[in-house]
Amino acid sequence: GKHLVIDKPFTVTAKEADELVILAKEKGVVLTAFQNRRWDAGFLTLLQEKDKLGIITEYECRFDRYRPEVAVRWREDPLPGSGILYDLAPHLVDQAIALFGPPSAVRGDLRVQRPGAKVDDYCEVDLRWDSNPGLKVVLKASMLVRSLG
């Protein structure tokens, strides 16, 4: 009978997610995914000021880290729900949907780039909308991007 806030990954399969939604409705409890990146200052500013930008034709957003060594932790083990697609990409996709609505088409590119890595440590997700064919959204996450400074 308790309400649920689930961190990402919400589930590993759509079937599991559907089962949880049905169960929550049957039990009369709230079920939601926790998305802490909805509160990032830059994203909130963009969400509030988006209409002032005019027609948006391209949006690219990244979450990058520089971790050239593979860590000993579950996110780096080849298990369901591990890898950068399940770790950082959900935040990027959530923000894009908040800005532009659910996409009509999704294309992804997953790579294992670091020596010794066993799971995807780079991803690119491209989103398109039938209702807005001029909009291109590219979302990327990597473990090998080093920033200067």
Side-chain angles (χ1 to χ4, degrees):
K2 296 195 183 251
H3 301 296
L4 301 166
V5 178
I6 300 176
D7 198 1
K8 49 96 182 131
F10 184 74
T11 62
V12 181
T13 68
K15 181 178 184 272
E16 291 172 344
D18 291 341
E19 290 170 356
L20 280 179
V21 169
I22 291 167
L23 187 58
K25 285 181 182 176
E26 288 173 359
K27 300 291 182 182
V29 298
V30 174
L31 171 68
T32 189
F34 176 68
Q35 287 287 3
N36 63 313
R37 294 294 184 172
R38 285 185 183 171
W39 311 112
D40 287 355
F43 170 69
L44 288 176
T45 300
L46 179 58
L47 193 60
Q48 292 169 357
E49 305 295 330
K50 182 178 96 165
D51 294 337
K52 295 179 182 176
L53 297 175
I55 297 171
I56 298 173
T57 58
E58 190 164 333
Y59 173 79
E60 182 173 328
C61 190
R62 314 178 60 107
F63 281 146
D64 294 319
R65 296 178 174 161
Y66 186 66
R67 293 187 183 156
E69 286 82 32
V70 176
V72 179
R73 60 190 191 131
W74 70 267
R75 289 181 182 151
E76 304 265 9
D77 288 334
L79 302 167
S82 63
I84 205 163
L85 181 67
Y86 282 96
D87 185 19
L88 295 178
H91 297 296
L92 296 166
V93 172
D94 181 65
Q95 289 181 353
I97 290 172
L99 288 167
F100 306 110
S104 307
V106 178
R107 183 195 69 82
D109 178 15
L110 297 177
R111 300 179 196 180
V112 178
Q113 296 181 326
R114 295 174 298 162
K118 298 175 185 167
V119 298
D120 54 283
D121 53 11
Y122 170 89
C123 74
E124 180 175 323
V125 178
D126 297 335
L127 306 176
R128 300 292 184 274
W129 286 259
D130 290 341
S131 61
N132 188 355
L135 175 61
K136 176 182 179 181
V137 172
V138 179
L139 311 171
K140 296 180 183 182
S142 176
M143 300 295 270
L144 282 178
V145 176
R146 191 172 179 172
S147 64
L148 300 174

